[in-house]
Amino acid sequence: MKKVIVIAAMIVATLSANAQAEPGSLTIQPHIGGSAGMISNANATVLDKTSINLEKDANAGAVAGVELEYQVNKWLGVAAGVNYMEAGTAWKDVTKNGIDYKDMKIETGYVTVPVVANFYVCKGLALKSGVQFNFMTDAKLKATGEKKDGNIITKVEYDRKVMDSFNKFDVSIPVGISYEFKVPIVIDLRYNIGLTKINKDNIFDEKTCRSNTCTLTVGYKFKL
C-alpha cells in the first residue's frame, strides 16, 4: 500500500511540475478537444419564412489540429496552426404551428488558421491572443419535430445543407489561456470572438451574425 501511495505521489508531482520551451526553440503540438459554438443574432427563420423567438444554446462539437510555436524569449512565444473545428449554434425546444421542435441546430465545420502570441506570465502559464482565419467546409440545418392531431403523431425531420446561406470565409479574434506541464502536456482554453459577418441576406432576417466559439484542447508538445 505504501508503494502505491509513493508511486501515485510521484505521478502527481511529475504532472504538476510545469515546463516551457527554451528561447530560440521551435516546437510542434498536435492537439484534440471539444468546442461549443454560438451564432449571434441567430433566429429560426431558417425553418420557414416567419420569425420565431427562440432561446439560443451552444452547439457542441470537436476540434483537432496542430500548432507550431517559436519561443522568442522566456516570456513571449509566437504560434501558428491549422485545425478542423466544428461550430454553429443550437436552440432550446419550441412549439410553432402545432409542431414541437427539438434538437434544433446549425452545425458548421471550419478549417481554421490561428496566429497567436503567447505571453508567459510565469513558467508554463501563458495568456494568448491573435487572429484566426476561418474557412467554412460544411453547414447543415438539423431539427426533429412532432405534430399531434388527436391520437395521430406525425414526425418532422430537417437535415439539409445550408452552405449557400453563409459566407465561406470569416475572421475571429482568439483569446485564451494555456498551461504546459512537464510531461509536456498542454491544456489550452480559447474563446474565438467573431469579427466578420458569416451569413448572407437570405437567412436570419438579414441580421448581421457572427460565429463565436469556445474550445478546450489537450496537446503534446515536441521539440523540433
Side-chain angles (χ1 to χ4, degrees):
M1 184 64 181
K2 290 183 178 179
K3 290 183 178 180
V4 173
I5 295 175
V6 171
I7 293 172
M10 291 175 63
I11 293 173
V12 171
T14 301
L15 291 175
S16 298
N18 54 45
Q20 186 176 319
E22 295 297 324
S25 63
L26 183 65
T27 58
I28 185 170
Q29 179 199 149
H31 52 254
I32 189 169
S35 62
M38 187 174 288
I39 299 175
S40 65
N41 290 327
N43 58 33
T45 53
V46 289
L47 290 179
D48 52 42
K49 298 301 182 181
T50 59
S51 183
I52 179 172
N53 294 321
L54 292 175
E55 184 181 354
K56 284 191 301 182
D57 200 1
N59 181 54
V63 59
V66 65
E67 188 171 85
L68 286 170
E69 181 178 4
Y70 176 73
Q71 194 70 33
V72 179
N73 52 46
K74 66 179 182 180
W75 60 268
L76 176 64
V78 179
V82 177
N83 305 296
Y84 179 76
M85 181 180 72
E86 295 175 338
T89 200
W91 297 277
K92 301 289 188 180
D93 297 348
V94 69
T95 299
K96 178 172 172 53
N97 297 331
I99 301 177
D100 297 325
Y101 290 103
K102 298 179 180 180
D103 302 322
M104 294 176 57
K105 58 186 176 181
I106 285 182
E107 295 180 342
T108 57
Y110 288 93
V111 172
T112 69
V113 181
V115 180
V116 299
N118 295 322
F119 301 96
Y120 289 90
V121 294
C122 62
K123 192 172 183 180
L125 181 64
L127 302 178
K128 56 189 64 196
S129 184
V131 62
Q132 180 168 289
F133 306 100
N134 307 305
F135 303 87
M136 181 179 283
T137 59
D138 194 19
K140 291 183 178 180
L141 167 66
K142 294 185 176 182
T144 59
E146 289 185 352
K147 186 174 183 180
K148 297 180 181 179
D149 185 6
N151 294 325
I152 300 175
I153 299 177
T154 304
K155 291 188 176 182
V156 179
E157 290 190 7
Y158 288 89
D159 188 354
R160 66 172 185 262
K161 288 185 175 292
V162 289
M163 274 196 70
D164 291 341
S165 298
F166 290 93
N167 297 314
K168 305 304 183 294
F169 173 77
D170 71 275
V171 180
S172 59
I173 295 293
V175 292
I177 186 171
S178 66
Y179 188 79
E180 180 180 342
F181 297 93
K182 189 177 181 180
V183 176
I185 292 174
V186 181
I187 297 176
D188 189 303
L189 176 64
R190 300 186 192 185
Y191 185 70
N192 297 289
I193 306 168
L195 289 184
T196 56
K197 182 178 179 180
I198 66 168
N199 59 306
K200 296 181 179 179
D201 292 338
N202 62 341
I203 195 172
F204 300 138
D205 284 346
E206 302 184 7
K207 295 178 181 179
T208 296
C209 299
R210 296 179 176 86
S211 179
N212 304 305
T213 310
C214 182
T215 62
L216 177 63
T217 61
V218 177
Y220 193 92
K221 186 175 285 188
F222 299 89
K223 289 185 179 180
L224 295 178

